[in-house]
Every structure is written in structure tokens, then in C-alpha cells.
Amino acid sequence: MDFNVEKQSLSSCRVIREAKAEQSVDCDITLPDYCPDIKSVLCCEVEPGVTAVDITGNRITAVGNATVKLIYVGDDDRISCFEQSCPINKYVEMSSLPEDNTMLVTAKTSYVNCRAVSPRRMDVHGCIAIVFSALSCETTQVVSSASAQGIQLKQQPVQTCNSLGCASKLFQMSEVIPLPEGVQSAKSILHAQALPVITQTKNVSHKTLIKGDLQLSVTLCSQDGEVTKTEHSMPISQIAELQGLDENSLCDVRLSVSSLDVQLKPDENGEMRRIDVAACICAVVRGYSKVSAVLLSDAFSTVNELELQKDSVCEEGLAAVLDETFVNSAELDFSGAAVGRVLDAWCTDLTCVNSFADSQLDLSGAVTVCVLYTDAEDKPCFARRRVDYRHKTDINADTYDVNYEPNICVSGVAVSGKGTQLNARIQFNASGCVFTRKNHLAVTDITQSGEKSKDNLSAITVYFADKGEKLWDIAKHFGTSVDAVSRRNALSGEALHDDTMLIIPRS
């Protein structure tokens, strides 16, 4: 007897292994001769950057630099700054990883403490947390159909997104930028930050083309102590490879700055009027193909005994592709430290959680606003304030199981006012794919284990069914077909609307 089973592949990309490591930052900073003595420390930050990931056997090594940035008031009562780099070289071991895994590495400063040992020396202690995440595609073979004499199938069509996998790429960007006309020659760089913005993506055979800009903002301190800010845009044009991509694929592309090095450089006249920028950008690409699939939730045969294997599979549908900008305003309390003039502001330590309810994706978290300012006596000061934010966006989804891996960044910050109350206006950008998830218990394999015994079957059986019972369950119990029960009792639909006496025909 012919017995044919048809199967279909469903795949999803998941973090299959994760490991964490810590690297200490211990350095003794001695100021060079051209820097003034330290009168008071305003700010000390450690910015880690991973520029390469090396995989040798079971060992995964993150390589990069941690830049220690010191902003202080010198003995001339002006703002000064100095930075020093420490190497990052940390590894973890992961065994039995699949060959097609993608390794993502992120680094974040856990804490930093600093102490002025003398007017020329700083003692800095900190810790960097490094997370190694291995991603891989997991494929499940599900039965979509089967053919044999007397076989009964309970099928469910679904629309899902099959994962094509994940790819990551580190690429370098560099440019020497002249200062705009009217901006004084710089003595030092107080703060620099960069934001990669995607303007266009295009899929071709096994590749995605990424176009965008690296938006750079640099705060400078001039020779006379004045603070100015300059902005510049560097074009991004990259190709990332991912097997299986084509023009019909869906891509979730995310860019982040892995490291940023900004230095002053003299021009042809010897004046510090050039900015030398070197950035390492990480591109993470996840690809999906939309497929129509048929899941088999149950099966039986009126002729043969069947053995079913079942497993939980996920139907993952695209709910939305986010690219939203929203603004959060907050009052910053400076009681006891009245502000005379705001010199610069930036944000660090962004967190985000998300939830879904009432057809809305709720994004919330907090961010630290760093403010460099002068007090009422025009003395330089620095402060940090933690600010909460929240944003809701409508999502067309018919399930409460919505999956979104937050991709939130601060795209701009402005702090205004003076005295004891300042106003912070923070601009955020949220991007990435939002998916709905429904779990199904699906048949992954069917085998026949012999013919059914029909010795105890009557030609017709009377069954008193309760309201709500399903015809499938009744037919399966008595070893007949759903169509036979429906026709014999003039029924329609999947379940009974009332208590009913049924005549169960022999198949």
C-alpha cells in the first residue's frame, strides 16, 4: 500500500549560546607637559570599542581598545581634557557550535572610578562587560500532507517568515575633516559621538546593499577656553553577504558604532583646524523569506494504525517595520548647583524594554543626560541626570505574543535654560522588524504500524455527543472519517452547537 509523506522546512534564527566576560581597566594617567595641572575633575568616562572578533577552534576573542576620557578644570580655571587608550583582548570558549553560526560581540562599561593622585597624575579603575552571542538558524521539518488509503488529515495553513540566517560585518571608516570657517583653532576635543543612519537597503543575489550616513558631532575647546560644536556627515556604502537573500527577501539591517577615534590634526599652517576621524562600524543583517506553509496538527487512518511525532513550531509573521523618531522632554533638577550657561550635553547608558497590549507596542526605558556647564560664577561644572522615557506605537497584530528586539538610539539632545531647572529635549529613533509569534504543536513525522482490527466494529453506532465536541475528535475516536459523520448526520462546521445524538457510520 502506497504511503507518501510530504514535508516542509520552517526555520528561525536564535541565540543558541551566550557567554559573558569582564575586563578590568586599570591605568595610571600622567599628563603630558602641554596639559595644565588638574585643579578638579569634571568627568571621567571609559568608552570600549571592539574592532575585531577572532575565532580559532573553540576560542572566540574580542580585540579592541578602551578609551579613557578625562575632562577637568586646569590650574588656569579653564576646561581641559586628555584621553588614553587601553587594549581590549578578552576571550571565551564555546564548544560544539554549528558551522553556520554568527558571532556577535558587544562591550559596555560597567563602572569607572577615578582619583587625582597629584596635579599631574590620575588613577583610573573600571570594568568592561563583554557579551559573546552565537546565533544560528534552527530548521524544523514539519509534515504538510500525507496520502494513503483511509488517512484523515487535520491541516492548518499559515503565513510565516522563514529565517535565512544572520550575518555580521565590521568595517572601517576614516576621514580628515577641516573645521568650518569662523570656528577658532581647537586646543582639544571635549566630546565626540557618531550615529550611523541607514537611508536605503537593497537586496540582490545573496547580498544586501547598505546606503546611509555616519552623523558625527564633535565638541571642541579652543585655545581661549571657548566651547563650540561642529557636525559632519560621512557617507556609508557597504555590501553585506547573506546566503539565500534575493530581491523578494525581507532584511532587518542594524548599524552600530563599535569604536570611534577622533583626534585633532594640524593644517598646513600648523594650526589645529583638522579633525581626524576613524570609526569602526558593525553591520548586523538578518534575512527572512515570506512563505505559505501547511501545518498538520493531527492525523489518523480508518485502515491502519499511525504513529505521530509532534513538536512545537513557531509561526512568525511580520507585523511592522519600524523607523520612527520620537521626542521626550524632561525637567532636570539642578537645585544647589545653579546653571549659568550650558556648554554641551550628550546621552549615555540607554536602556529599553518593550511590551505589547491593546494593539500598541510600548517602548520604555531610561537614559543618562550628561551636562557640561558653567555655574553662576562662570566656573566649569559637570553633572549627570537620569531621565525616563516612553513611547507607544500602533501595531496591527491579532496576538499578544509580539516579538521585537529593541533597536533604540539617541539621535539628538538639547539642554536649555539656566538656574536650578533645565529643560532636556531628547530625540530617539526606533527601528527594526516587529514580528507576531504563534506556537503550534505540529506533526513532524508519520509512520504506519499495522492494520487496524475491525472485529469489534458495528455497521452503525449511536453516540450521544455533548455541545462543543468537535467532529474531528469524534471521528478519530470511532475510526471513521469526518465527512462520513457530517453527511450521515447533516452537520456542518467543526463543533456541535447542541447536545446531539449522532449516528456513526462504519468507514
Side-chain angles (χ1 to χ4, degrees):
M1 182 183 298
D2 291 335
F3 183 69
N4 298 313
V5 175
E6 296 179 8
K7 292 187 177 183
Q8 190 168 6
S9 297
L10 298 181
S11 59
S12 60
C13 189
R14 298 285 185 266
V15 176
I16 59 172
R17 198 81 58 80
E18 192 169 83
K20 298 180 181 180
E22 291 185 343
Q23 176 157 330
S24 60
V25 178
D26 298 300
C27 59
D28 186 1
I29 296 177
T30 301
L31 296 179
D33 293 340
Y34 58 81
C35 288
D37 287 352
I38 300 171
K39 185 176 182 179
S40 62
V41 176
L42 296 177
C43 170
C44 183
E45 295 181 338
V46 174
E47 296 183 1
V50 175
T51 56
V53 178
D54 178 68
I55 302 176
T56 305
N58 295 335
R59 178 171 293 189
I60 301 98
T61 305
V63 179
N65 288 286
T67 302
V68 181
K69 295 189 175 183
L70 174 67
I71 301 176
Y72 67 98
V73 178
D75 55 4
D76 56 0
D77 289 327
R78 293 178 177 176
I79 296 177
S80 293
C81 62
F82 180 76
E83 65 179 48
Q84 180 172 304
S85 292
C86 302
I88 292 177
N89 193 304
K90 200 70 178 179
Y91 72 87
V92 296
E93 292 190 352
M94 293 185 183
S95 59
S96 304
L97 289 177
E99 292 184 0
D100 62 346
N101 81 90
T102 299
M103 187 63 60
L104 302 182
V105 180
T106 58
K108 184 178 180 180
T109 300
S110 299
Y111 69 88
V112 58
N113 296 318
C114 66
R115 180 174 63 95
V117 179
S118 73
R120 307 296 302 171
R121 288 179 56 206
M122 284 288 301
D123 190 15
V124 178
H125 298 282
C127 182
I128 297 170
I130 304 174
V131 179
F132 299 78
S133 301
L135 286 77
S136 181
C137 262
E138 296 181 342
T139 301
T140 303
Q141 295 284 336
V142 296
V143 177
S144 58
S145 183
S147 59
Q149 182 182 357
I151 196 165
Q152 305 292 305
L153 305 177
K154 191 174 184 181
Q155 296 173 309
Q156 179 180 357
V158 296
Q159 301 293 324
T160 188
C161 291
N162 259 3
S163 176
L164 300 174
C166 176
S168 66
K169 179 182 181 180
L170 289 169
F171 61 91
Q172 308 291 329
M173 298 182 66
S174 62
E175 187 176 343
V176 177
I177 305 165
L179 291 183
E181 292 294 332
V183 176
Q184 298 183 44
S185 297
K187 179 182 70 172
S188 58
I189 295 174
L190 292 181
H191 183 260
Q193 61 184 15
L195 176 68
V197 177
I198 298 173
T199 57
Q200 182 185 8
T201 61
K202 182 180 180 181
N203 299 327
V204 294
S205 179
H206 309 302
K207 297 179 178 67
T208 183
L209 312 180
I210 306 170
K211 296 284 187 180
D213 298 286
L214 183 66
Q215 299 176 355
L216 182 71
S217 175
V218 182
T219 303
L220 304 167
C221 183
S222 65
Q223 296 293 339
D224 59 5
E226 287 298 314
V227 176
T228 58
K229 180 179 287 189
T230 182
E231 296 180 344
H232 183 74
S233 181
M234 300 168 61
I236 295 174
S237 181
Q238 288 290 319
I239 297 176
E241 297 185 357
L242 181 59
Q243 196 68 25
L245 277 182
D246 59 32
E247 59 273 11
N248 297 317
S249 302
L250 170 67
C251 253
D252 188 342
V253 183
R254 304 185 178 193
L255 300 181
S256 60
V257 178
S258 289
S259 69
L260 179 65
D261 184 25
V262 181
Q263 302 290 336
L264 288 174
K265 189 175 182 179
D267 61 9
E268 60 275 6
N269 298 320
E271 295 183 347
M272 293 296 185
R273 298 194 55 79
R274 291 177 178 172
I275 303 173
D276 191 356
V277 180
C280 180
I281 311 298
C282 178
V284 177
V285 179
R286 298 193 187 197
Y288 305 88
S289 62
K290 295 182 180 180
V291 296
S292 298
V294 176
L295 301 181
L296 196 64
S297 59
D298 200 5
F300 69 91
S301 173
T302 61
V303 177
N304 296 293
E305 297 288 351
L306 299 182
E307 291 185 2
L308 308 182
Q309 293 183 15
K310 295 185 178 183
D311 198 0
S312 178
V313 297
C314 182
E315 175 191 358
E316 198 165 39
L318 179 67
V321 179
L322 288 188
D323 187 12
E324 294 191 3
T325 298
F326 59 95
V327 175
N328 186 84
S329 296
E331 295 291 330
L332 306 182
D333 185 8
F334 278 76
S335 299
V339 175
R341 181 166 53 106
V342 176
L343 302 177
D344 193 19
W346 61 89
C347 290
T348 61
D349 301 329
L350 175 67
T351 64
C352 182
V353 295
N354 67 90
S355 60
F356 181 78
D358 300 326
S359 298
Q360 285 190 320
L361 183 66
D362 189 349
L363 306 174
S364 61
V367 67
T368 298
V369 180
C370 303
V371 184
L372 185 64
Y373 66 100
T374 59
D375 62 14
E377 298 177 357
D378 208 33
K379 293 181 180 179
C381 302
F382 178 82
R384 294 183 176 91
R385 297 292 185 269
R386 197 68 174 162
V387 172
D388 295 327
Y389 72 89
R390 191 174 188 181
H391 175 69
K392 292 185 178 183
T393 183
D394 293 333
I395 298 294
N396 184 21
D398 59 356
T399 173
Y400 282 90
D401 192 3
V402 170
N403 179 51
Y404 172 61
E405 293 187 16
N407 187 36
I408 312 292
C409 65
V410 174
S411 54
V413 57
V415 177
S416 59
K418 60 181 182 179
T420 59
Q421 294 291 326
L422 302 186
N423 179 261
R425 188 177 184 272
I426 308 168
Q427 181 174 286
F428 299 85
N429 180 262
S431 61
C433 294
V434 182
F435 294 96
T436 58
R437 283 183 173 176
K438 294 180 181 179
N439 289 318
H440 302 272
L441 188 61
V443 177
T444 57
D445 200 12
I446 303 178
T447 55
Q448 293 185 129
S449 58
E451 293 186 1
K452 281 187 174 180
S453 173
K454 298 189 176 182
D455 295 340
N456 298 325
L457 293 179
S458 304
I460 293 179
T461 300
V462 176
Y463 175 67
F464 294 91
D466 295 328
K467 177 182 178 181
E469 282 195 69
K470 295 182 178 180
L471 295 183
W472 173 270
D473 297 330
I474 296 171
K476 183 178 180 180
H477 176 75
F478 288 101
T480 187
S481 68
V482 174
D483 286 342
V485 176
S486 298
R487 287 195 307 268
R488 186 66 177 83
N489 297 277
L491 298 173
S492 62
E494 295 182 356
L496 298 175
H497 300 292
D498 300 293
D499 294 346
T500 307
M501 184 186 75
L502 300 178
I503 298 175
I504 310 297
R506 182 174 180 177
S507 59

